[in-house]
């Protein structure tokens, strides 16, 4: 993360948003708050009362409570949370020392490697270079308020106790507003009065926004939050108080719609500034403004242009409710090594933190008479004696914890401009979200292989200690951008590729030539092999062969060899592959218009079958089958005037009734094929057959390929559970009652072994199955998908398929699926240098032994993930090598070997391991590992194991690599600071934590999809991309800057786009200007926008063109065509949309990012103690 990157200091607090002046927000009692900008949403009190609340998510501890929003914590380099963030129990500070201006005296932390979280400014920190011990009294600690500070015990009862309980250990949820009502997520909802997004009008009269000339409060140097700095002029402030929180009564929203300054001030006297010389009104803060996690641009704009009330940067220009916890909260001061600094007292004009109470499960008492409460002046013996500077505050600011958006932007700006040259061993590539050019100079491009770590431990003990999985995500046939060179094809003639005699590794840049070039020593097993005479070449003075640069296999990381006949089945060269289209013609398929649609599309699509670069036409032959309870084969031989149909009704013993004329060349048989495709919809137009078979359909395709002695692919279009009498017949076994029981795993397992055996036969023949499903009810994807999954095929699912809404998506998917590059009859083996070996594999494939990954088909989108384990010591000098060799048949029938090589560093210091990890790849691996785990273990066990492993990874770093500092800090490695937020997304995914509307089929489908996703796909799938469309520059080609996935980042005056690789949502706020609605949807008001639109209307205006071009650009980047869904704010579809705002608490009981971070911190502390 760039330490020097600057961003805006916060906007003037409390100023109404430009364009939305004057919206009044009703307060608790219904009276508008004076001068407060309208809240974007009513406070989110968790699910609306009346929704059935899920039981406590396993793996969270009700005692942790995750109550209200927490305080700004700055996470940086070794991102850390304040000492009493989940703090240690300390005696109340009674010394009353107030901090002198400018003295950053309270840094209990050592220096970290790099800034993280919000990079602090480059101004040198004014603090002693060594880490200072924490001295009680050198800074305020949360003071026990009338009770002792409760650490992790049972939840305390009284308000005061609860506020401490919270002060000490929890950070609040990032959900849009109010801290969750009592016991949210742990029992049925208590009756919570709806919070309208603001405080009760009593006592909230004082509202002192900055004037534009005053500018935003300056950020304190070394602190990433422009929050904890007192305003410039000491306006006298009256001591007003807000109503107290009572157990069970929803606390006021942390800041929905209220500029922070609308919190009543907390003490009667202005406070002395804590930083050296705060800027005078109109001046900017001294020193570069600190970088905020969510913003990209550098110099702060003039205060008057900042958008609206939220503190913090203008979130890529997002208007919206202020990020909730921002009322400047307990300023955990940013420290040099990224720890959250000590708690500071509340600042004048900023509300203190709200000590809301979680009330675990008990029924709420009656709301108390509104007593005015200054959150910081809860009566307590010592509290009022403390100097103002020292009163505790307890909230975490979502902007102070690591932001995925910031990390992505920093990587783009730091690494997007230079080409990534692969010549150096163990280089960590740019992130998958960065556009960069790769220059192959001896290691495979990260587009082919990405690793969880590029510096692996030398010993297995060290690997076990760190718990960082060592894995590579390999995408052997990945598509390259046009400006990168495809792998060269090397032909060594009859003798074939040069290989090591012992381990059979292929010639590569790491082989060492010796004895003047007559022999070479294998870099994998150290065996010495004679160089074949035809391959001999002299060495230069450095020991390199003189033809080094002329031979791809000596100078590049990726290349292909032409395979000889020894690499072919039965020692004969393969025939070109075949495609067989198998169409369900049962009643549902015909009635929905699907059969006609497929037949129409195939007429033109057959011209686009894949072909080798320079070939005139594709070598692939095609065949056609239709089926319901019986199968119909078609003879489309070119010499026929009309196609002939042959029916096989004995589905128990499947055979192919014709050999000649079933698989044909498209151009030769075109007229017969077109005639057939015209006739099929008519032939079955009046069918009454509702039952289907499925097993015999695959058997028929397999038999046809066997008879033709070729590999190929079946495209099966299927609509319903196969209940007709036939092999592979299934029953409906869907049972929601199994969720969260030990039997839940059976929902992911096939209900019969028939399909596993069939898959094995398909792989042996090179018969790959792609499945297009159109279910209107349960279809058992877990069973039907087995053959697809084990043959390396793809599944596409269109539930409740309707022609007008799903046609585009289905046709786009079909076109891409038919046209994409695919290898047949593939076998992949990963070799490693001595010391590590491949032990585990994840993906869509079949394995008959422990080393070879077999796939009937492997396309350009599929990845195979490989885990490595130590079987010996590695050395730092020689590093570690991987070689992935893929043997496959190209679409022209040519047998080839594609080789990818990668060299990694090895380390004896854990710090080197943690400095060279790649979180996106790590999450990809952990998700696949967990998704496989649900086949054999209860989901709760899988979730707990994931949390535990990540806690161990971070605890090991904390213990062995971070500077010594207070146990109350959460310190994260720079390159893993997003591990908690991404891990939380995996835990909340539909497979591991399904909501009530997620079907069993959806879960099985997602589980299979994710298993072969690449790193870029899992990245956007788990943490979707959210773009403010109203901020898009209509004159440029670029996308608007993304914002974080949280409801509090949305403004009702804007339109946003969210994409996750499967869906695109366009969310429209209720207050969007009429002109924008007219320009985008062609209707005059919000109420006229149709939620059923599945494409944006084509309108001739710059905004419409820009948004459509953004949608098209995103569609091109993804391997599947995403479904477009229009979501109007407060519409029923909004629940679905909110499911993807992954930083918020989910309705299924998933924690918000802030809460989960606390939870991880607690887990880490338990491991460390």
């Amino acid at each position: 993360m760039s330490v020097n990157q600057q961003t805006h200091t916060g906007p003037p607090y409390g100023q109404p948003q430009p364009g939305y002046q004057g919206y009044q927000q009703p307060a608790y009692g219904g009276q508008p708050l004076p001068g407060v900008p309208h809240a974007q949403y009513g406070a989110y009190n968790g699910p609306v009362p009346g929704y059935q609340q899920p039981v406590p998510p396993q793996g969270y501890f009700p005692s942790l409570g995750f109550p209200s929003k927490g305080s700004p914590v700055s996470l940086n380099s070794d991102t850390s949370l304040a000492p009493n963030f989940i703090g240690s129990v300390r005696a109340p500070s009674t010394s009353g020392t107030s901090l002198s201006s400018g003295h950053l005296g309270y840094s209990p932390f050592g220096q970290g490697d790099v800034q993280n979280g919000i990079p602090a400014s480059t101004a040198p920190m004014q603090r002693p270079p060594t880490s200072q011990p924490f001295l009680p009294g050198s800074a305020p600690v949360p003071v026990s308020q009338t009770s002792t500070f409760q650490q992790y015990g049972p939840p305390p009862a009284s308000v005061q106790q609860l506020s401490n309980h919270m002060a000490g250990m929890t950070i609040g949820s990032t959900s849009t507003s109010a801290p969750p009502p009592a016991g949210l997520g742990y029992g049925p909802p208590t009756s919570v009065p709806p919070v309208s997004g603001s405080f009760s009008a009593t006592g909230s009269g004082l509202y002192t926004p900055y004037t534009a000339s005053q500018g935003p409060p300056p950020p304190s140097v070394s602190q990433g939050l422009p929050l904890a700095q007192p305003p410039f002029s000491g306006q006298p402030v009256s001591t007003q108080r807000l109503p107290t929180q009572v157990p069970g009564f929803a606390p006021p929203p942390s800041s929905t719609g209220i500029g922070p300054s609308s919190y009543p001030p907390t003490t009667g006297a202005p406070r002395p500034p804590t930083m050296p010389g705060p800027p005078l009104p109109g001046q900017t803060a001294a020193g570069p403004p600190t970088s905020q996690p969510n913003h990209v641009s550098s110099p702060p704009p003039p205060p008057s242009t900042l958008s609206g009330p939220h503190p913090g940067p203008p979130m890529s220009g997002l208007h919206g409710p202020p990020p909730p916890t921002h009322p400047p909260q307990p300023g955990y001061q940013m420290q040099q090594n990224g720890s959250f600094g000590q708690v500071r007292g509340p600042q004048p004009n900023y509300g203190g933190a709200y000590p809301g109470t979680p009330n675990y499960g008990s029924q709420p008492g009656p709301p108390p008479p509104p007593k005015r409460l200054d959150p910081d002046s809860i009566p307590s013996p010592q509290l009022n004696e403390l100097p103002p500077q020292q009163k505790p505050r307890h909230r975490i600011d979502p902007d102070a914890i690591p932001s995925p958006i910031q990390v992505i932007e920093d990587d783009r700006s730091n690494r997007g401009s230079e080409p990534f040259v692969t010549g150096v061993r163990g280089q960590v590539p740019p992130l998958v979200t960065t556009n960069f050019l790769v220059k192959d100079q001896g290691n495979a491009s990260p587009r082919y292989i990405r690793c969880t770590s590029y510096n692996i431990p030398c010993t297995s003990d060290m690997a076990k200690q760190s718990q960082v999985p060592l894995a590579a995500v390999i995408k052997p046939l990945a598509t390259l951008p046009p400006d990168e060179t495809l792998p060269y094809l090397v032909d060594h003639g009859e003798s074939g590729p040069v290989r090591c005699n012992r381990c059979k590794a292929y010639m590569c840049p790491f082989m060492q030539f010796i004895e003047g070039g007559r022999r070479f020593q294998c870099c994998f097993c150290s065996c010495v092999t004679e160089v074949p005479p035809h391959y001999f070449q002299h060495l230069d003075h450095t020991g390199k062969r003189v033809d080094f640069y002329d031979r791809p296999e000596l100078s590049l990381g990726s290349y292909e060899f032409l395979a000889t006949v020894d690499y072919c089945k039965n020692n004969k060269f393969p025939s070109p592959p075949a495609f067989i289209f198998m169409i369900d013609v049962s009643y549902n398929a015909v009635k929905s218009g699907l059969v006609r649609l497929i037949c129409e599309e195939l007429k033109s699509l057959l011209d686009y079958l894949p072909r080798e670069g320079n070939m005139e036409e594709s070598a692939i032959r095609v065949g056609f089958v239709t089926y319901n309870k019986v199968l119909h084969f078609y003879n489309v031989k070119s010499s026929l005037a009309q196609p002939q149909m042959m029916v096989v009704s004995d589905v128990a013993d499947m055979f192919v009734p014709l050999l000649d004329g079933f698989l044909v060349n498209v151009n030769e048989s075109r007229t017969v094929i077109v005639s057939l495709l015209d006739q099929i919809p008519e032939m079955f137009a009046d069918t009454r057959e509702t039952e289907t078979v499925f097993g015999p359909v695959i058997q028929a395709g397999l038999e046809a390929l066997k008879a033709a002695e070729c590999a190929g692919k079946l495209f099966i279009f299927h609509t319903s559970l196969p209940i007709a009498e036939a092999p592979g017949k299934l029953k409906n076994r869907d049972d929601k009652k199994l969720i969260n029981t030990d039997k839940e795993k059976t929902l992911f397992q096939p209900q019969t072994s028939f399909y596993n055996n069939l898959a094995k036969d398909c792989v042996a023949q090179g018969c790959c199955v792609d499945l297009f499903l159109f279910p209107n009810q349960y279809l058992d994807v877990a069973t039907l998908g087995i053959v697809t999954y084990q043959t390396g095929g793809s599944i596409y699912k269109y539930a409740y398929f309707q022609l007008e809404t799903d046609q585009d998506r289905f046709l786009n998917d079909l076109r891409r699926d038919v046209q994409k590059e695919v290898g047949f009859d593939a076998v992949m083996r990963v070799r490693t240098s001595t010391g590590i070996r491949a032990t585990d594999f994840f993906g869509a494939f079949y394995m008959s032994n422990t080393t070879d990954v077999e796939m009937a088909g492997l396309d350009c989108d599929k990845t195979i993930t490989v885990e490595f384990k130590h079987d010996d010591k590695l050395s730092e000098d020689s590093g570690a090598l991987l070689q992935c060799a893929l043997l496959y048949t190209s679409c022209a029938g040519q047998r080839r070997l594609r080789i990818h090589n990668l060299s990694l560093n090895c380390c004896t210091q854990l710090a080197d391991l943690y400095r060279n990890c790649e979180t996106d790849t790590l999450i990809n691996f952990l998700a696949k590992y967990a998704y496989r785990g649900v086949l054999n273990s209860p989901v709760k066990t899988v979730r707990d194991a994931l949390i535990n492993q990540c806690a161990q990874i971070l605890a090991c770093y904390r213990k062995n690599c971070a500077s010594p500092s207070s146990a109350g800090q959460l310190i994260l490695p720079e390159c893993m600071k997003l591990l908690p937020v991404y891990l939380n997304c995996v835990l909340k995914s539909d497979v591991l934590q399904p909501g009530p509307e997620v079907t069993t089929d959806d879960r099985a489908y997602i589980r299979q999809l994710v298993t072969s996703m690449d790193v870029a796909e899992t990245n956007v799938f788990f943490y979707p991309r959210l773009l403010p469309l109203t901020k898009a520059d209509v004159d440029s080609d670029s996308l608007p800057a993304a914002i974080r996935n949280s409801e509090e980042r949305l403004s009702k005056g804007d339109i946003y786009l969210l994409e996750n690789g499967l869906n695109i949502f366009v969310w429209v706020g209720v207050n969007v200007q009429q002109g924008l609605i007219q320009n985008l949807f062609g209707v005059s008001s919000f109420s006229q926008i149709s939620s059923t639109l599945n494409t944006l209307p084509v309108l001739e205006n710059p905004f419409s063109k820009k948004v459509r071009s953004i949608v098209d650009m995103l569609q091109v980047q993804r391997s599947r065509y995403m479904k477009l869904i229009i979501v109007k704010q407060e519409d029923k579809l909004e629940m679905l949309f909110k499911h993807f705002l992954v930083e918020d608490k989910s309705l299924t009981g998933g924690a918000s990012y802030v809460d989960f971070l606390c939870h991880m911190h607690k887990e880490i502390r338990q491991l460390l103690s």
Side-chain angles (χ1 to χ4, degrees):
M1 167 173 288
S2 139
V3 184
N4 306 332
Q5 202 186 357
Q6 308 175 339
T7 34
H8 303 304
T9 49
Y13 289 125
Q15 288 188 351
Q17 307 248 8
Y20 314 127
Q21 260 87 2
Y23 291 128
Q24 287 299 318
Q25 174 61 18
Y28 263 6
Q31 309 91 314
L33 272 179
V36 177
H38 186 46
Q40 307 307 337
Y41 302 96
Y44 176 50
N45 274 334
V48 181
Y51 272 35
Q52 185 50 42
Q53 264 310 74
V55 291
Q58 271 65 28
Y60 292 100
F61 298 88
S63 61
L64 187 65
F66 302 151
S68 67
K69 289 277 212 301
S71 126
V73 241
S74 334
L75 284 162
N76 57 28
S77 112
D78 297 290
T79 316
S80 43
L81 298 186
N84 51 332
F85 158 54
I86 297 188
S88 35
V89 184
R90 298 204 188 102
S93 144
T94 43
S95 64
T97 340
S98 149
L99 293 179
S100 62
S101 220
H103 174 59
L104 287 178
Y106 41 78
S107 157
F109 325 112
Q111 289 158 305
D113 342 31
V114 225
Q115 292 291 356
N116 163 10
I118 309 172
S121 79
T122 43
M125 299 302 150
Q126 298 184 309
R127 67 195 192 79
T130 52
S131 5
Q132 289 189 229
F134 174 81
L135 302 173
S138 65
V141 222
V143 174
S144 309
Q145 297 158 352
T146 75
S147 77
T148 49
F149 184 85
Q150 264 191 284
Q151 205 55 7
Y152 304 117
S158 77
V159 180
Q160 275 82 8
Q161 278 176 300
L162 273 165
S163 57
N164 293 329
H165 183 63
M166 286 167 49
M169 57 178 250
T170 55
I171 331 179
S173 107
T174 9
S175 71
T176 15
S177 44
L184 190 63
Y186 301 114
T190 48
S191 52
V192 179
V195 179
S196 62
S198 89
F199 290 100
S200 113
T202 357
S204 46
L206 189 91
Y207 174 66
T208 36
Y210 290 111
T211 56
S213 64
Q214 276 175 300
S220 5
V221 187
S222 96
Q223 179 188 344
L225 321 160
L227 300 176
Q229 173 78 14
F232 326 113
S233 52
Q235 301 98 325
V237 193
S238 71
T239 328
Q240 291 189 309
R241 304 190 179 170
L242 288 176
T244 347
Q245 175 59 13
V246 182
F249 194 100
S254 321
S255 76
T256 318
I258 302 192
S261 47
S262 62
Y263 277 72
T266 42
T267 54
R271 306 242 162 90
T274 38
M275 300 315 293
L280 299 167
Q283 286 185 332
T284 43
T290 52
S291 168
Q292 274 285 55
N294 240 340
H295 209 72
V296 228
S297 49
S298 318
S304 56
T305 62
L306 286 172
S307 67
H310 35 257
M315 300 318 141
S316 336
L318 172 60
H319 292 310
T325 44
H326 282 250
Q329 296 130 8
Y332 287 126
Q333 167 88 6
M334 170 75 92
Q335 295 300 334
Q336 176 65 9
N337 77 341
S339 339
F340 295 116
Q342 283 326 130
V343 196
R344 305 234 313 250
Q347 309 303 329
N349 289 348
Y350 292 168
Y354 195 88
T357 70
N359 134 8
Y360 303 93
S362 64
Q363 286 307 308
K371 186 171 76 171
R372 301 200 181 172
L373 162 75
D374 161 5
D376 291 319
S377 60
I378 295 171
S380 134
Q382 310 88 344
L383 198 64
N384 298 326
E385 296 143 31
L386 290 177
Q389 238 357 81
Q390 265 188 264
K391 293 190 186 170
R393 303 190 152 181
H394 356 278
R395 280 206 198 141
I396 284 209
D397 166 13
D399 272 348
I401 55 184
S403 156
I405 305 300
Q406 182 67 39
V407 171
I408 288 168
E409 283 302 339
D410 285 345
D411 194 75
R412 276 185 189 144
S413 55
N414 296 338
R415 305 196 63 181
S417 48
E418 296 293 302
F420 178 69
V421 180
T422 71
V424 183
R425 182 175 84 191
Q427 283 184 103
V428 183
L431 298 182
V432 283
T433 42
T434 299
N435 276 331
F436 58 99
L437 186 70
V438 179
K439 293 202 168 155
D440 184 341
Q441 292 193 358
N443 282 294
S445 159
R447 305 192 202 289
Y448 294 123
I449 307 184
R450 277 188 178 263
C451 294
T452 51
S453 178
Y454 287 80
N455 200 333
I456 61 182
C458 283
T459 63
S460 62
D461 291 346
M462 192 171 149
K464 282 196 189 88
Q465 186 187 356
S466 75
Q467 285 286 319
V468 175
L470 305 175
V473 179
I474 306 173
K475 194 176 182 182
L477 298 179
T479 314
L480 298 183
D483 43 4
E484 290 178 23
T485 319
L486 291 169
Y488 290 100
L489 182 59
V490 179
D491 184 357
H492 281 312
E494 300 266 310
S495 58
V498 178
R499 304 175 69 175
C500 164
N501 269 345
R502 184 200 288 157
C503 71
K504 299 288 184 258
Y506 295 86
M507 180 54 67
C508 72
F510 313 120
M511 297 288 189
Q512 192 63 47
F513 287 87
I514 52 177
E515 297 175 22
R518 285 188 295 282
R519 309 170 90 188
F520 68 91
Q521 183 170 25
C522 175
C523 51
F524 294 95
C525 70
S526 304
C527 171
V528 173
T529 301
E530 292 283 332
V531 172
H534 72 91
Y535 198 70
F536 173 77
Q537 187 52 274
H538 296 286
L539 308 183
D540 67 11
H541 62 287
T542 63
K544 262 187 189 170
R545 284 173 53 125
V546 295
D547 62 355
F548 175 81
Y549 290 109
D550 303 332
R551 292 195 176 271
E553 71 274 23
L554 298 182
S555 53
L556 298 177
S558 301
Y559 41 87
E560 292 198 316
F561 291 120
L562 204 51
T564 56
V565 77
D566 312 336
Y567 291 88
C568 303
K569 256 189 207 158
N570 311 326
N571 279 0
K572 59 181 213 186
F573 284 114
S575 313
F579 282 1
I580 304 177
F581 296 92
M582 314 184 90
I583 306 167
D584 174 347
V585 289
S586 64
Y587 177 73
N588 277 344
V590 174
K591 190 182 68 150
S592 65
L594 181 63
V595 173
R596 186 173 297 276
L597 181 69
I598 294 169
C599 293
E600 280 304 315
E601 179 60 30
L602 287 179
K603 290 182 202 170
S604 54
L605 189 53
L606 294 176
D607 289 332
Y608 297 97
L609 298 175
R611 56 173 186 256
E612 292 294 318
N614 49 6
M615 289 173 58
E616 286 292 307
E617 61 175 50
S618 174
I620 294 175
R621 291 170 298 160
V622 298
F624 302 90
V625 172
T626 56
Y627 66 93
N628 38 45
K629 263 165 70 168
V630 297
L631 277 80
H632 322 105
F633 292 80
Y634 297 94
N635 183 344
V636 281
K637 199 172 173 180
S638 55
S639 55
L640 294 173
Q642 282 296 322
Q644 292 172 351
M645 172 175 172
M646 299 189 184
V647 180
V648 176
S649 51
D650 181 6
V651 289
D653 181 20
M654 188 39 68
F655 67 97
V656 178
L658 74 165
L659 279 182
D660 189 28
F662 179 62
L663 294 178
V664 296
N665 172 294
V666 175
N667 285 342
E668 290 170 11
S669 297
R670 181 176 304 276
T671 50
V672 193
I673 291 173
V674 170
S675 169
L676 169 67
L677 294 171
D678 283 336
Q679 287 174 41
I680 288 174
E682 307 309 329
M683 248 185 311
F684 297 100
D686 303 323
T687 183
R688 285 280 163 266
E689 186 53 74
T690 54
E691 293 187 355
T692 57
V693 296
F694 186 71
V697 180
I698 297 176
Q699 286 173 326
L702 172 61
E703 293 302 320
L705 294 176
K706 272 186 187 164
E709 297 184 350
C710 68
K713 188 185 264 201
L714 313 182
F715 294 84
I716 302 181
F717 304 92
H718 188 78
T719 60
S720 58
L721 191 68
I723 53 174
E725 269 317 314
K729 170 187 173 179
L730 301 179
K731 57 180 193 291
N732 187 336
R733 53 155 185 174
D734 189 17
D735 188 356
K736 279 282 179 80
K737 291 197 283 297
L738 298 182
I739 292 179
N740 293 327
T741 68
D742 286 354
K743 290 209 174 121
E744 182 172 6
K745 58 182 182 235
T746 59
L747 297 174
F748 295 111
Q749 298 165 353
Q751 57 172 288
T752 155
S753 61
F754 172 84
Y755 291 100
N756 296 68
N757 299 329
L758 182 53
K760 189 173 162 183
D761 297 342
C762 287
V763 173
Q765 180 56 42
C767 167
C768 174
V769 179
D770 279 0
L771 190 50
F772 293 82
L773 297 173
F774 306 88
N776 289 334
Q777 60 216 28
Y778 178 70
L779 190 73
D780 203 348
V781 173
T783 306
L784 297 188
I786 281 288
V787 181
T788 298
Y789 186 62
Q790 295 193 358
T791 57
S794 307
I795 299 190
Y796 298 86
K797 181 165 158 288
Y798 311 89
Y800 307 108
F801 177 82
Q802 287 181 309
L803 220 53
E804 55 283 2
T805 53
D806 299 303
Q807 165 176 340
D808 278 357
R809 183 163 59 110
F810 162 57
L811 293 180
N812 276 289
D813 283 342
L814 176 60
R815 285 167 195 154
R816 189 164 193 279
D817 197 57
V818 167
Q819 295 173 39
K820 67 186 169 188
E821 183 189 353
V822 58
F824 294 94
D825 236 335
V827 183
M828 184 181 105
R829 181 176 284 191
V830 178
R831 294 180 174 80
T832 52
S833 52
T834 316
I836 53 168
R837 63 197 169 86
T839 55
D840 209 349
F841 301 85
F842 303 81
F845 53 73
Y846 174 78
M847 290 187 83
S848 53
N849 58 32
T850 55
T851 53
D852 295 337
V853 173
E854 301 173 47
M855 293 154 288
L858 172 68
D859 64 50
C860 54
D861 298 323
K862 295 281 183 307
T863 63
I864 292 94
T865 303
V866 186
E867 186 178 16
F868 303 98
K869 290 263 168 36
H870 287 75
D871 55 7
D872 204 347
K873 281 203 171 77
L874 294 164
S875 90
E876 285 192 274
D877 301 337
S878 54
L881 303 174
L882 330 173
Q883 183 178 76
C884 160
L886 175 78
L887 174 65
Y888 71 100
T889 302
S890 75
C891 56
Q894 201 176 47
R895 202 70 177 145
R896 296 181 177 183
L897 282 152
R898 180 169 288 202
I899 313 294
H900 297 296
N901 303 286
L902 186 63
S903 59
L904 303 172
N905 287 328
C906 297
C907 58
T908 51
Q909 299 298 317
L910 282 164
D912 292 328
L913 162 69
Y914 284 102
R915 210 170 280 134
N916 292 280
C917 287
E918 229 241 316
T919 301
D920 292 322
T921 310
L922 190 56
I923 287 292
N924 179 287
F925 172 80
L926 291 172
K928 290 171 180 176
Y929 189 80
Y931 281 16
R932 186 178 67 184
V934 298
L935 290 173
N936 306 309
S937 312
V939 172
K940 177 189 182 329
T941 313
V942 172
R943 292 166 50 85
D944 291 350
L946 264 185
I947 293 174
N948 185 39
Q949 181 169 7
C950 289
Q952 285 185 311
I953 291 172
L954 298 174
C956 173
Y957 173 80
R958 173 62 198 262
K959 184 174 169 192
N960 299 292
C961 311
S963 328
S965 51
S966 128
Q969 286 171 260
L970 171 60
I971 299 188
L972 303 171
E974 170 64 26
C975 68
M976 282 191 193
K977 63 189 176 190
L978 298 180
L979 188 60
V981 62
Y982 287 163
L983 176 68
N984 191 31
C985 297
V986 175
L987 293 170
K988 295 201 294 191
S989 63
D990 291 337
V991 173
L992 298 182
Q993 197 168 38
E997 69 297 330
V998 178
T999 65
T1000 307
D1001 276 345
D1002 286 333
R1003 296 178 74 195
Y1005 173 62
I1006 296 293
R1007 197 190 75 75
Q1008 292 197 13
L1009 272 188
V1010 168
T1011 308
S1012 42
M1013 275 186 183
D1014 70 9
V1015 180
E1017 288 171 317
T1018 51
N1019 173 276
V1020 77
F1021 179 75
F1022 290 116
Y1023 192 92
R1025 178 150 58 160
L1026 182 58
L1027 305 173
L1029 294 179
T1030 24
K1031 302 284 175 287
D1033 177 358
V1034 292
D1035 300 322
S1036 89
D1037 291 338
S1038 61
L1039 292 173
I1043 58 172
R1044 291 171 66 169
N1045 280 207
S1046 172
E1047 192 176 348
E1048 69 203 16
R1049 310 279 169 181
L1050 306 178
S1051 137
K1052 10 169 99 164
D1054 285 324
I1055 302 175
Y1056 299 87
L1057 179 148
L1058 181 144
E1059 63 124 356
N1060 73 342
L1062 297 181
N1063 297 305
I1064 291 181
F1065 293 92
V1066 174
W1067 182 91
V1068 187
V1070 289
N1071 295 344
V1072 172
Q1073 294 165 1
Q1074 237 175 315
L1076 285 176
I1077 290 176
Q1078 183 71 53
N1079 283 344
L1080 190 55
F1081 299 104
V1083 294
S1084 55
S1085 71
F1086 178 80
S1087 58
Q1088 293 174 311
I1089 300 171
S1090 161
S1091 308
T1092 57
L1093 282 177
N1094 63 316
T1095 49
L1096 292 169
V1098 177
L1099 302 170
E1100 285 304 311
N1101 66 69
F1103 185 59
S1104 172
K1105 284 179 183 162
K1106 176 66 183 175
V1107 172
R1108 283 181 290 113
S1109 80
I1110 290 175
V1111 170
D1112 294 344
M1113 193 193 307
L1114 299 180
Q1115 291 287 21
V1116 169
Q1117 289 173 10
R1118 305 287 168 225
S1119 61
R1120 290 167 181 251
Y1121 194 83
M1122 296 180 280
K1123 181 176 186 173
L1124 183 77
I1125 301 169
I1126 307 291
V1127 179
K1128 292 158 72 174
Q1129 187 181 351
E1130 294 160 15
D1131 190 34
K1132 57 184 185 298
L1133 275 173
E1134 204 182 18
M1135 293 313 260
L1136 178 61
F1137 172 74
K1138 285 180 182 174
H1139 176 66
F1140 296 99
L1141 298 176
V1142 290
E1143 288 197 25
D1144 296 341
K1145 201 179 185 98
S1146 71
L1147 292 177
T1148 53
S1152 69
Y1153 173 20
V1154 174
D1155 291 350
F1156 184 70
L1157 198 58
C1158 298
H1159 180 65
M1160 283 302 285
H1161 188 199
K1162 180 180 167 206
E1163 294 281 310
I1164 292 164
R1165 290 183 62 174
Q1166 283 176 343
L1167 289 171
L1168 291 174
S1169 60

